[in-house]
Each structure stands twice: as structure tokens, then as C-alpha cells.
Amino acid sequence: MANWCSNSVAFEGDETTLEQVRLEFVKMQICENKENCGQLPDFISDKNRGYFFDILLEDGGCIFNYQTRWSPNTEILLQIAEHYTVDFIYNYEGIGNQIYGVAIYSNNELTEIYLEEEDFEQYDYHEETDTYFFEAENYESDYEILEILLKRKIQKIQSQILV
């Protein structure tokens, strides 16, 4: 049985192109419901990985939430972005596999920032209180901690760029 990775991608571009992207995802969503299996756009040549499952379109914009098996499907999103000439911001998480990150594709350049094993080791879970302990504070959820750690990595990279 696969461990699932939760994904959210927001595409950016002109309205006509974004409508084409929306239609592509709606087509995959319809096929998934009919065939009861993951989907890829027809123009994707590598059919061995990166399938979209449980595709949901958020209201407004061109934002999709979906599941993948085991890991993020950044390469597939790159192929979609290149095919339609759009940019994207992609958030993904698979906590059971220590996967948590963001990828930004803009002006034909991909920037990916993600947590590594040592990041996940910075906090502890306390079973008796069902809380997470991080930097002398208790948290109800590890998502808050992961978001703090990811934001710090983003800020560090941004500060290095400004130097």
C-alpha cells in the first residue's frame, strides 16, 4: 500500500492559458472518476510515475489539490508548465516519509525548498500529552513546526541571494 503525498499547485499565467490548464485537470478528474485510477495528461510521455489522484479544483484561480503515491510529482508539473507556458507554486507534504516542501517555477526556472531529515529531528512527539515539543514550546500539531522550519529555510535562501 502506498504512502500518500498531499499536493497543492497554483498555476499562474494569462487567463486563456489558465483555462486550458483547468480543462486539462477537469479532464483528468473525470477520467479518474470513471476509471477509478490515477491520471496524467495525454501529452506526458513518461507514464511510469507521478499520477494524480483525488484531484480537486479550488474555487477561484487555477489551484488544484491532489494526492500522489510516495512522493511529489514536480517533474510532471514542470512538463505541464512547459507545455502550456505557465508558472506555478507547488506545496507538498508526505509527513510519514518526511517530505515537506515548496517548489516555485517562474520564468523557466525551478526553485525547490524542502525539509531534510535533520529538520524533522528538531522536534519531539510526546505521546502522553499528544503534543509536539519544539524550541521550548508545545504544539498541538507538527504542521505548525514544519511550516516554521520551511519558512526559515526560505528566508535563509532569500538572504543569501541578497548578499
Side-chain angles (χ1 to χ4, degrees), residues 18-28 64 84:
L18 290 178
E19 183 59 27
Q20 293 173 340
V21 174
R22 267 192 290 276
L23 291 173
E24 185 69 49
F25 273 79
V26 167
K27 178 182 164 188
M28 287 192 297
F64 300 92
Y84 288 106

Side-chain angles (χ1 to χ4, degrees), residues 34-73:
K34 187 193 292 184
E35 299 170 6
N36 200 26
C37 64
Q39 299 294 312
L40 288 172
D42 293 335
F43 58 85
I44 301 290
S45 59
D46 182 6
K47 302 286 187 184
N48 293 323
R49 57 183 171 67
Y51 286 88
F52 295 82
F53 294 86
D54 301 325
I55 302 165
L56 296 172
L57 170 63
E58 281 191 20
D59 290 337
C62 195
I63 303 170
F64 300 92
N65 296 306
Y66 61 94
Q67 302 289 314
T68 51
R69 290 184 175 171
W70 306 110
S71 62
N73 63 349

Side-chain angles (χ1 to χ4, degrees), residues 23-145:
L23 291 173
E24 185 69 49
F25 273 79
V26 167
K27 178 182 164 188
M28 287 192 297
Q29 186 181 38
I30 291 168
C31 287
E32 180 189 12
N33 291 338
K34 187 193 292 184
E35 299 170 6
N36 200 26
C37 64
Q39 299 294 312
L40 288 172
D42 293 335
F43 58 85
I44 301 290
S45 59
D46 182 6
K47 302 286 187 184
N48 293 323
R49 57 183 171 67
Y51 286 88
F52 295 82
F53 294 86
D54 301 325
I55 302 165
L56 296 172
L57 170 63
E58 281 191 20
D59 290 337
C62 195
I63 303 170
F64 300 92
N65 296 306
Y66 61 94
Q67 302 289 314
T68 51
R69 290 184 175 171
W70 306 110
S71 62
N73 63 349
T74 310
E75 286 82 27
I76 300 298
L77 292 175
L78 279 172
Q79 290 180 52
I80 292 170
E82 290 168 358
H83 181 83
Y84 288 106
T85 317
V86 293
D87 295 337
F88 64 78
I89 299 173
Y90 174 44
N91 293 283
Y92 53 85
E93 61 185 55
I95 305 304
N97 286 336
Q98 294 186 332
I99 296 171
Y100 196 86
V102 62
I104 302 164
Y105 183 71
S106 181
N107 298 318
N108 297 315
E109 187 176 319
L110 178 70
T111 303
E112 190 165 12
I113 304 165
Y114 53 88
L115 299 182
E116 299 179 56
E117 186 176 341
E118 57 266 15
D119 297 310
F120 286 89
E121 293 171 355
Q122 290 186 40
Y123 64 93
D124 295 308
Y125 174 67
H126 293 260
E127 194 171 329
E128 60 280 353
T129 59
D130 193 28
T131 58
Y132 296 85
F133 189 72
F134 173 67
E135 295 182 343
E137 288 190 46
N138 284 313
Y139 292 83
E140 297 291 320
S141 167
D142 58 346
Y143 287 100
E144 269 186 278
I145 299 166

Side-chain angles (χ1 to χ4, degrees), residues 6-17:
S6 297
N7 307 273
S8 178
V9 62
F11 290 98
E12 299 172 345
D14 65 70
E15 277 305 311
T16 303
T17 307

Side-chain angles (χ1 to χ4, degrees), residues 142-158:
D142 58 346
Y143 287 100
E144 269 186 278
I145 299 166
L146 297 174
E147 195 59 30
I148 290 168
L149 293 170
L150 186 62
K151 282 181 182 179
R152 285 180 184 170
K153 280 195 159 196
I154 292 168
Q155 289 170 345
K156 183 178 179 182
I157 290 170
Q158 288 173 335

